[in-house]
């Protein structure tokens, strides 16, 4: 069998490219990671994603796949071990629904950290809490598609809350989500697929300071 070439184009701080990294590592798929400078997009990025010109982009044997949710399903279809989507059609549909739900909210809040404190976002987090209740993971006993997509809630939202000086995911407000985050932190490949904490905090702080100075 010919060796497969897998490349991931992303940025270190993006939850959308980090989730692809996590899925590949869960599957045990070797890949080359290429960091993209979005302020100076490379010819390779424009070649492989000429429509949106965004990350993440997965390139498998020279063929590109774009949009993180589509990439995650491609990975699950291509590499059958450690499935991240259920086999049951109804359960698959439910998983796709929640993944899309989280993705839409994360996209709206990207680069707008203060939006993470509004009542609508907090209410939506309560919906996730209710969906997870009684399970270790959204995927049941093992990490699945929704858990991978929801890492943005587990590891990106709290960094933004910390920089804003508030604590949102607490035992009092979101005990089920907090327990789930603890379960995720026990998985080595999950921790390997997160931005370095101090670098992440510094990045968000600089971003927010830039937004504040621009609004004066």
């Amino acid at each position: 069998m010919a060796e497969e070439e897998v490349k991931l184009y992303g940025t270190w701080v993006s939850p959308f490219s980090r989730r692809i990294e996590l899925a590949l590592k869960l599957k045990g798929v070797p890949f080359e990671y290429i960091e993209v400078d979005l302020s100076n997009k490379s010819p390779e990025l424009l070649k492989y994603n000429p429509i949106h010109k965004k990350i993440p982009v997965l390139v498998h044997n020279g063929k590109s796949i774009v949009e993180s949710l589509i990439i995650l399903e491609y990975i699950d279809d291509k590499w059958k071990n450690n499935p991240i989507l259920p086999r049951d059609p109804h359960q698959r549909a439910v998983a796709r629904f929640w993944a899309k739900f989280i993705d839409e909210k994360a996209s709206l809040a990207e680069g707008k950290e203060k939006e993470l404190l509004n009542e609508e976002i907090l209410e939506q987090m309560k919906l996730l809490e209710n969906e997870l209740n009684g399970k270790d993971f959204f995927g049941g006993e093992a990490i699945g598609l929704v858990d991978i997509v929801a890492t943005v809630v587990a590891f990106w939202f709290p960094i933004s809350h910390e920089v804003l000086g508030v604590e949102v995911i607490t035992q009092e407000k979101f005990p089920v989500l907090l327990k789930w985050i603890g379960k995720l932190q026990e998985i080595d490949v999950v921790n390997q697929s997160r931005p370095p904490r101090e670098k992440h905090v510094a990045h968000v702080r600089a971003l927010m300071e830039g937004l504040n100075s621009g609004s004066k």
Side-chain angles (χ1 to χ4, degrees):
M1 182 182 293
E3 184 176 348
E4 300 204 69
E5 182 184 57
V6 180
K7 296 181 180 181
L8 171 60
Y9 290 80
T11 62
W12 70 270
V13 77
S14 169
F16 302 101
S17 57
R18 286 287 187 169
R19 65 176 55 157
I20 307 306
E21 179 182 342
L22 174 55
L24 291 169
K25 287 179 176 178
L26 284 167
K27 295 280 189 177
V29 178
F31 66 97
E32 178 187 356
Y33 173 76
I34 298 100
E35 177 74 13
V36 173
D37 179 359
L38 292 177
S39 66
N40 183 24
K41 297 175 182 178
S42 68
E44 290 84 2
L45 177 65
L46 300 179
K47 171 187 174 183
Y48 288 125
N49 191 0
I51 305 300
H52 297 303
K53 304 176 178 63
K54 294 180 179 180
I55 55 93
V57 178
L58 185 75
V59 179
H60 181 212
N61 292 337
K63 297 179 180 179
S64 61
I65 307 96
V66 301
E67 301 292 329
S68 66
L69 293 184
I70 294 172
I71 296 171
L72 289 173
E73 292 213 33
Y74 176 86
I75 290 170
D76 205 41
D77 287 340
K78 178 63 184 176
W79 293 281
K80 302 296 186 182
N81 61 306
N82 298 332
I84 61 175
L85 269 166
R87 295 194 181 278
D88 177 78
H90 179 260
Q91 292 178 2
R92 288 172 72 90
V94 171
R96 288 186 177 114
F97 168 82
W98 284 108
K100 187 171 185 292
F101 176 87
I102 295 165
D103 215 42
E104 287 173 349
K105 309 313 171 189
S107 296
L108 287 173
E110 191 176 26
K112 303 173 185 176
E113 275 65 20
K114 289 183 179 179
E115 293 293 321
L116 298 178
L117 294 179
N118 70 37
E119 285 300 319
E120 182 182 359
I121 291 292
L122 298 179
E123 285 298 318
Q124 288 157 356
M125 287 174 65
K126 180 57 71 175
L127 293 175
L128 292 177
E129 173 104 345
N130 294 339
E131 173 63 18
L132 183 60
N133 197 17
K135 298 180 287 188
D136 284 343
F137 300 101
F138 288 99
E141 296 181 358
I143 185 171
L145 175 71
V146 182
D147 301 281
I148 293 169
V149 174
T151 52
V152 66
V153 177
F155 303 123
W156 273 259
F157 283 16
I159 292 291
S160 298
H161 293 149
E162 178 181 335
V163 173
L164 288 166
V166 296
E167 195 174 6
V168 175
I169 304 179
T170 63
Q171 184 64 35
E172 293 73 26
K173 294 178 181 176
F174 297 105
V176 177
L177 283 176
L178 197 62
K179 181 181 177 182
W180 166 73
I181 291 170
K183 290 282 187 182
L184 287 177
Q185 290 172 332
E186 295 173 2
I187 303 172
D188 287 342
V189 291
V190 171
N191 294 320
Q192 294 165 14
S193 305
R194 295 166 54 186
R197 188 181 182 285
E198 295 306 317
K199 185 179 179 183
H200 194 179
V201 170
H203 172 82
V204 174
R205 183 168 286 120
L207 180 65
M208 293 183 64
E209 287 173 354
L211 290 173
N212 290 334
S213 65
S215 64
K216 290 180 180 177

